[in-house]
Amino acid sequence: MTNTYIDKKLNNKTILRTFSKDVLNEELVWHRDRQNRIVTVLEGKDWQIQLDDHLPEFLEIGKEYVIPAYTFHRIKRGTSDLVLKIEEH
C-alpha cells in the first residue's frame, strides 16, 4: 500500500498536498471534510475532481475550487503528480 498523499503544513489553515501519479485508484475514495476548503491547483495533468451529484471535471492549474464542509467529493488520478494548496475556512 502506498501513501495516498503527502502533506506539508504551511500554517494552521493551509497545507500543500501532493498526490503521486502512481497512487492506486482505490485509494482515491469518496470523502467529506469538516471545514470549508478552497483548493488551488498548483501542478497536475489530467486529474479530475467530482463533487456529490456532479459529473467529474478536469482540474485546471491556477484555478480555485470551493468545497463546502460535509460535501462528498473525490479526485480521479491523472498522468502526472498533483500538487494542491488547501486552505481551510
Side-chain angles (χ1 to χ4, degrees), residues 31-37 67-71 73 88-89:
H31 68 283
R32 56 187 174 176
D33 303 302
R34 294 181 181 168
Q35 295 183 322
N36 294 320
R37 288 188 165 182
I67 303 174
Y70 299 103
T71 299
H73 61 284
E88 295 185 338
H89 296 274

Side-chain angles (χ1 to χ4, degrees), residues 2-4 19-30 46-48 74-79:
T2 62
N3 290 334
T4 304
F19 291 87
S20 169
K21 66 179 175 61
D22 298 321
V23 66
L24 300 175
N25 281 319
E26 53 268 17
E27 292 182 26
L28 300 173
V29 297
W30 287 99
D46 299 325
W47 288 80
Q48 297 177 53
R74 68 176 174 171
I75 58 172
K76 299 177 102 179
R77 189 177 66 195
T79 57

Side-chain angles (χ1 to χ4, degrees), residues 10-82:
L10 299 180
N11 60 47
N12 286 342
K13 296 198 176 253
T14 308
I15 58 172
L16 286 182
R17 179 166 290 170
T18 302
F19 291 87
S20 169
K21 66 179 175 61
D22 298 321
V23 66
L24 300 175
N25 281 319
E26 53 268 17
E27 292 182 26
L28 300 173
V29 297
W30 287 99
H31 68 283
R32 56 187 174 176
D33 303 302
R34 294 181 181 168
Q35 295 183 322
N36 294 320
R37 288 188 165 182
I38 297 174
V39 177
T40 305
V41 181
L42 303 179
E43 297 177 30
K45 183 176 180 186
D46 299 325
W47 288 80
Q48 297 177 53
I49 187 167
Q50 184 174 13
L51 276 65
D52 196 23
D53 292 329
H54 291 82
L55 292 173
E57 68 175 282
F58 282 99
L59 293 170
E60 297 177 36
I61 293 174
K63 184 173 177 181
E64 289 185 346
Y65 297 84
V66 177
I67 303 174
Y70 299 103
T71 299
F72 277 103
H73 61 284
R74 68 176 174 171
I75 58 172
K76 299 177 102 179
R77 189 177 66 195
T79 57
S80 67
D81 291 352
L82 175 66

